[in-house]
Amino acid sequence: MEEKHDSKGTYKEFKHVVNMTASALQKRFKSEESQSVVQKRDGGEATSHGEGRRIVEMLHKKKSDLTDDDCGHMRKVVGYVHRHLKQGGPQEKDTEEESP
């Protein structure tokens, strides 16, 4: 039997951890900095950019139009962000510039 998930809670947490607008994310993925730091699969598109595009698609949807698949992907994104933050998350820019 499949575990039932709280879609309202998932949506709320997704909106909390994805703290950029769809247009800001799109702009970020097109930036030179973003293009230079990503790992690409077989010389193609970066995995993170594919994931980002999916997040942008979900951000553009009305809450009522989100599918079960979208909700599952939101849980995946939330889990990824929480794991990333536990591992130290993004560092402050000033700290990165000063480190060797």
Side-chain angles (χ1 to χ4, degrees):
M1 188 162 150
E2 195 173 310
E3 180 183 340
K4 186 147 180 140
H5 292 280
D6 172 23
S7 60
K8 281 185 180 180
T10 298
Y11 180 80
K12 183 178 178 182
E13 185 65 12
F14 174 77
K15 294 295 268 187
H16 176 73
V17 300
V18 178
N19 57 3
M20 295 176 78
T21 64
S23 60
L25 274 173
Q26 287 173 314
K27 185 177 179 181
R28 171 78 178 132
F29 287 125
K30 291 178 183 176
S31 74
E32 197 173 302
E33 179 185 6
S34 178
Q35 294 294 322
S36 69
V37 297
V38 296
Q39 292 182 334
K40 297 184 178 184
R41 295 182 277 204
D42 304 321
E45 180 182 55
T47 304
S48 61
H49 289 187
E51 287 292 318
R53 216 178 24 263
R54 177 77 192 274
I55 291 169
V56 167
E57 289 171 9
M58 290 186 296
L59 289 172
H60 279 298
K61 287 185 177 185
K62 293 180 190 176
K63 187 176 177 180
S64 60
D65 291 338
L66 293 167
T67 65
D68 288 341
D69 189 49
D70 291 332
C71 193
H73 199 76
M74 282 189 244
R75 283 191 296 276
K76 179 180 170 183
V77 170
V78 168
Y80 172 81
V81 170
H82 286 299
R83 280 190 307 280
H84 184 67
L85 291 174
K86 272 187 177 176
Q87 295 169 355
Q91 301 297 314
E92 293 293 325
K93 256 191 178 216
D94 294 337
T95 305
E96 286 181 10
E97 291 173 359
E98 293 175 7
S99 56

